[in-house]
Amino acid sequence: NFYYFENLEKNISEGNEINPNEVIIFLENKLNKNPMDADSWLVLARTCLITGHIQKSELYYSKGLKYFPNNEDLLLESAVLKKSNKQYEKSLDLINNLIEINPLNFSAKMLLIEIMLVQKKFKDAQILFNELGDIEKMDKKWLKKMKGLGLLNF
């Protein structure tokens, strides 16, 4: 259909039910024309991830980071994906970059603690956890996960 992309864009902007694969095609096309849209890189990588296209998701997080190397969302989500794929060193590089950009990024520090635990750096994880501060402000689900691991004494 000659108007495919126009109709798809209309359906997306109106929130009509759409096939995630069509969103991927639409965003790939859009970003090929203009890659300077961080939100589109995020949505594209996330859509690939939820549809099971893990390698494509990694590719689009990486491409997004080439254009937006200081984007905290791209850095964090890419680091989470790398961690879930057991690419701990790559995940650490992204997390450290993110913490350098924003030393107050709580989510990055939580992810860093999780990787430290996986790498059996218990003492370092405990120190960083203690630096996080007020337990009442922390994500309850994450705290429960940390307690379940029995690795943090709190």
Side-chain angles (χ1 to χ4, degrees):
N1 183 332
F2 184 72
Y3 298 103
Y4 175 78
F5 285 108
E6 290 171 12
N7 291 336
L8 182 58
E9 183 172 18
K10 181 180 177 207
N11 284 334
I12 291 171
S13 64
E14 292 176 359
N16 296 334
E17 190 173 317
I18 48 173
N19 179 331
N21 290 319
E22 289 181 330
V23 174
I24 292 170
I25 292 167
F26 171 77
L27 290 172
E28 286 173 336
N29 195 16
K30 179 182 179 198
L31 289 166
N32 279 333
K33 293 176 185 171
N34 178 17
M36 300 310 293
D37 183 349
D39 289 335
S40 290
W41 286 112
L42 279 165
V43 172
L44 179 56
R46 289 171 182 162
T47 305
C48 288
L49 189 60
I50 64 170
T51 56
H53 302 290
I54 307 302
Q55 290 177 325
K56 275 182 118 174
S57 181
E58 284 186 7
L59 171 70
Y60 292 132
Y61 279 123
S62 293
K63 281 189 173 188
L65 284 167
K66 285 182 184 174
Y67 295 102
F68 303 96
N70 296 331
N71 184 291
E72 292 184 41
D73 292 327
L74 284 168
L75 285 165
L76 182 64
E77 291 181 27
S78 184
V80 168
L81 181 57
K82 300 260 186 235
K83 177 191 168 276
S84 69
N85 289 329
K86 297 182 180 6
Q87 298 173 2
Y88 301 118
E89 293 306 317
K90 290 180 181 179
S91 183
L92 281 172
D93 289 343
L94 293 164
I95 294 167
N96 289 328
N97 189 8
L98 176 50
I99 291 173
E100 189 175 309
I101 292 165
N102 180 2
L104 301 177
N105 190 308
F106 200 78
S107 296
K109 290 181 180 183
M110 289 169 56
L111 186 59
L112 180 55
I113 289 170
E114 289 182 28
I115 292 175
M116 287 174 170
L117 293 173
V118 168
Q119 295 181 326
K120 301 191 183 331
K121 297 178 181 176
F122 304 123
K123 211 176 237 185
D124 292 339
Q126 184 68 57
I127 290 168
L128 183 55
F129 179 82
N130 292 340
E131 290 174 3
L132 291 179
D134 189 3
I135 290 178
E136 296 302 317
K137 294 180 183 175
M138 294 183 197
D139 179 75
K140 303 301 178 216
K141 192 174 178 182
W142 183 75
L143 279 173
K144 189 175 181 179
K145 179 180 174 183
M146 294 297 102
K147 283 182 182 180
L149 292 172
L151 301 173
L152 297 173
N153 301 318
F154 56 90

